[in-house]
Amino acid sequence: MRSADTGRPSPRHRWKGRPTAAWPGLRTLTPYLGVLPFLAYVGVFLIYPTLVVVVGAFQGDDGHLSTANVRVLSRGVYLEAFVRSIELSATAAMVGAVLGSLLAWAVTTARPDGTLRRTVLAGCGVLAQFGGVTLAFAFIATFGLTGLVTVYLKDHLGIDIFANGVWLYDMPGLILVYSYFQIPLMVIVFLPALDGLRPQWREAVQSLGGSTWRYWRHVAGPVLGPSFLGASLLLFANAFSAYATAAALVSQGSPIVPLEIRNYFTSEVLLGRQNIGKALGFSMIVVVAVVMVLYALLLRRAARWLR
Amino acid sequence: MLEFSTREGGGRRGFRAWAAIGDTPALVSAVTTSLTLAGLTVSAMLLLLVPTLAWVRLRLPRARRPVEFLCLLPLMIPAIVLVVGIAPLYAWVAYLLGDSPLTLTFVYVVLVLPFGYRAIDAGLAAIDLRTLAEAARGLGASWPTVLLRVVVPNIRSALVGASFLAVALVLGEFTVASLLNFDNFQVTINLLGKGDAELSVAVSLAAILTAFALLLAISFVGRRGRSSP
């Protein structure tokens, strides 16, 4: 541009004129530069790994496009792992949703900024997010073979909770330990919805002669319904993608999908089919994504009343 | 039920196990690693998110949806799946930056992205960012000055909340570290558990209680932030 300029405008003028005259697109592009570092980081450490998994899932061992890996998943051990994973997540989600909403309801009856509520919420935050390995150990200390409750029940009440074999490191144990973090998560997620219930609604029902049952059936139920379902879906996704607790509890064998992935991860070479782990990962993303989209939709529905 | 789990964990402890926490070198180094990781992750997260989110709100409203989607994406991708994808990348990271557990920061920033995003976005939504920024710019402040001296002090409680959450998450992280073969706090607890169950239960309890105190502290910080605007 300068070479074409014979008149040599003053520097100030040149600076002003440049963006629009020489690169008309520059002014519209500048704002995008501000998000560039973020995009670069996310691109490298989030998008790229995701693409690796997704692309790998559809790649045969020779690098060509193939659906073999994904087809393998619909058979044998993988199918079983999936069924078990979904059963486990669904059960843990239901237990968590029911007990968690009851606990949340109990918390709402306390003062909004009281110590009880603060303590319960902080405790729930710890259990729901900190979780993982530490929870598994708390669990072993409680219900393990020499755990406190186990020993107490045996010594004082004569009940052997492991009379029918050690269920602790199997599905029932996993469901039980998963509820350790599912219930707190439900409390955290469901509490805002319960807080949204206005006392006026209850008073309105009562002044119109309605019973408590009618209030729950016709007012609170429909308002809370979407939130409850949404929270259950979130719990499902949470249980489905949980790994640490199960890994700490079950050190051998692979009853559920995340542990199956661990198998592939630690012994990829041995098994020869390197991309099955990625296919498993891909299918997990699909399941969780579907659940989360449903969750978002339900949340939008729930937001109508909970303003 | 939360009382229950912690109490039982504590009920079985002997003082021997508690005393052993201090003189298990592996544990001490793992705690140091995890704490350093937490610090690095928090600073990287704030450095990445605060300018970007402020910028998006001020200059690029069109990008809000995509940025939100990207930030919440880690919720849809289970950590274990992310590890599968990121493992090849870590060969490069190790090649370029050495094989230190501190390189885990990169993944952890991704993991804390959704929580950081929510807290910081809520913080930015609560202040009149546009007016503040325009006023500062009108008085001749540069963009870094606007960010550091105007935006950051105004959303401090949101930043504190985001940081505490990130710290709790990093200290509790197991999946990524264990699968990439780095020894952080949780991985070490798990390893110790195979040899000395009481010790790891004691450590677990200590960890849970610490995190509990941390979160309780946030709830007070949050309240103070609201009562004195």
Side-chain angles (χ1 to χ4, degrees), chain A:
Chain A
M1 168 191 149
R2 269 173 74 185
S3 61
D5 255 9
T6 44
R8 286 243 162 201
S10 68
R12 189 183 157 80
H13 175 238
R14 202 164 35 150
W15 185 83
K16 264 187 151 174
R18 208 162 70 175
T20 38
W23 299 297
L26 191 72
R27 181 152 283 180
T28 50
L29 276 179
T30 338
Y32 289 94
L33 292 178
V35 288
L36 213 56
F38 172 78
L39 288 184
Y41 189 90
V42 169
V44 171
F45 289 101
L46 179 63
I47 304 296
Y48 172 75
T50 313
L51 286 181
V52 166
V53 171
V54 174
V55 171
F58 291 101
Q59 231 166 35
D61 292 336
D62 49 357
H64 287 301
L65 198 68
S66 126
T67 54
N69 298 313
V70 183
R71 267 186 285 128
V72 167
L73 295 189
S74 59
R75 293 197 303 265
V77 275
Y78 306 108
L79 187 63
E80 278 169 39
F82 256 99
V83 171
R84 258 193 307 245
S85 240
I86 287 175
E87 272 175 10
L88 168 68
S89 312
T91 321
M94 271 192 291
V95 171
V98 172
L99 296 181
S101 52
L102 288 177
L103 182 60
W105 179 70
V107 169
T108 48
T109 57
R111 276 194 316 126
D113 55 349
T115 319
L116 172 77
R117 183 174 172 145
R118 218 176 268 282
T119 315
V120 170
L121 274 184
C124 285
V126 174
L127 293 180
Q129 287 180 349
F130 194 63
V133 181
T134 39
L135 272 194
F137 278 111
F139 178 73
I140 291 172
T142 313
F143 292 104
L145 284 176
T146 53
L148 193 94
V149 169
T150 317
V151 172
Y152 181 87
L153 285 178
K154 207 183 250 170
D155 292 351
H156 293 80
L157 304 170
I159 300 170
D160 184 2
I161 55 174
F162 295 123
N164 299 320
V166 182
W167 45 264
L168 181 64
Y169 303 103
D170 213 336
M171 290 298 277
L174 280 179
I175 291 174
L176 192 61
V177 75
Y178 271 34
S179 65
Y180 270 39
F181 59 79
Q182 293 284 58
I183 294 173
L185 184 66
M186 183 69 183
V187 173
I188 293 175
V189 180
F190 199 52
L191 204 56
L194 278 176
D195 280 339
L197 283 182
R198 307 217 181 105
Q200 288 91 324
W201 294 344
R202 174 161 227 153
E203 287 155 12
V205 171
Q206 273 168 354
S207 67
L208 290 170
S211 60
T212 306
W213 189 82
R214 267 183 181 272
Y215 166 71
W216 283 106
R217 166 77 182 78
H218 293 292
V219 180
V223 169
L224 290 180
S227 308
F228 183 80
L229 265 180
S232 314
L233 284 176
L234 190 71
L235 258 59
F236 179 86
N238 187 44
F240 195 75
S241 47
Y243 164 79
T245 317
L249 207 59
V250 184
S251 38
Q252 271 163 7
S254 41
I256 58 175
V257 179
L259 296 183
E260 194 79 57
I261 295 182
R262 167 177 74 176
N263 259 4
Y264 269 92
F265 202 75
T266 45
S267 56
E268 248 179 4
V269 187
L270 217 151
L271 287 148
R273 290 195 133 151
Q274 44 173 341
N275 280 336
I276 286 187
K278 287 175 187 151
L280 280 166
F282 172 68
S283 52
M284 273 184 89
I285 295 183
V286 169
V287 171
V288 175
V290 167
V291 169
M292 291 303 272
V293 167
L294 283 177
Y295 166 69
L297 290 178
L298 276 169
L299 212 63
R300 199 169 297 168
R301 177 84 172 70
R304 194 183 298 172
W305 287 103
L306 304 170
R307 278 270 120 207

Side-chain angles (χ1 to χ4, degrees), chain B residues 91-114:
Chain B
W92 279 99
V93 172
Y95 174 70
L96 293 173
L97 296 172
D99 195 17
S100 152
L102 296 182
T103 50
L104 277 174
T105 309
F106 295 122
V107 202
Y108 286 176
V109 170
V110 168
L111 291 184
V112 299
L113 216 51

Side-chain angles (χ1 to χ4, degrees), chain A residues 31-32 34-35 38 41 44-45 49-50 118-119 122-123 125-126 129-130 133 137 141-142 148 241 243-244 258 265 288, chain B residues 8 12 52 55-56 60 62 76-78 80 85 89 106 109 165 168 174-175 179 186 200 204 211-212 215 219-220 223:
Chain A
Y32 289 94
V35 288
F38 172 78
Y41 189 90
V44 171
F45 289 101
T50 313
R118 218 176 268 282
T119 315
V126 174
Q129 287 180 349
F130 194 63
V133 181
F137 278 111
T142 313
L148 193 94
S241 47
Y243 164 79
F265 202 75
V288 175
Chain B
E8 303 317 326
R12 263 176 51 72
T52 307
W55 183 265
V56 164
L60 205 61
R62 236 186 315 162
M76 286 202 195
I77 299 166
I80 173 125
L89 201 63
F106 295 122
V109 170
L165 271 182
F174 171 77
T175 312
L179 289 178
Q186 301 277 336
S200 49
S204 300
F212 176 71
L215 282 184
S219 78
F220 281 106
R223 190 183 59 163

Side-chain angles (χ1 to χ4, degrees), chain B residues 112-138:
Chain B
V112 299
L113 216 51
F115 306 100
Y117 171 79
R118 277 190 186 149
I120 295 173
D121 194 54
L124 287 176
I127 62 174
D128 192 353
L129 183 66
R130 186 168 288 277
T131 313
L132 284 174
E134 274 168 12
R137 292 285 287 164

Side-chain angles (χ1 to χ4, degrees), chain B residues 141-160:
Chain B
S142 63
W143 278 112
T145 320
V146 172
L147 268 181
L148 274 178
R149 314 246 337 239
V150 178
V151 175
V152 168
N154 271 300
I155 57 170
R156 195 161 47 201
S157 72
L159 297 185
V160 171

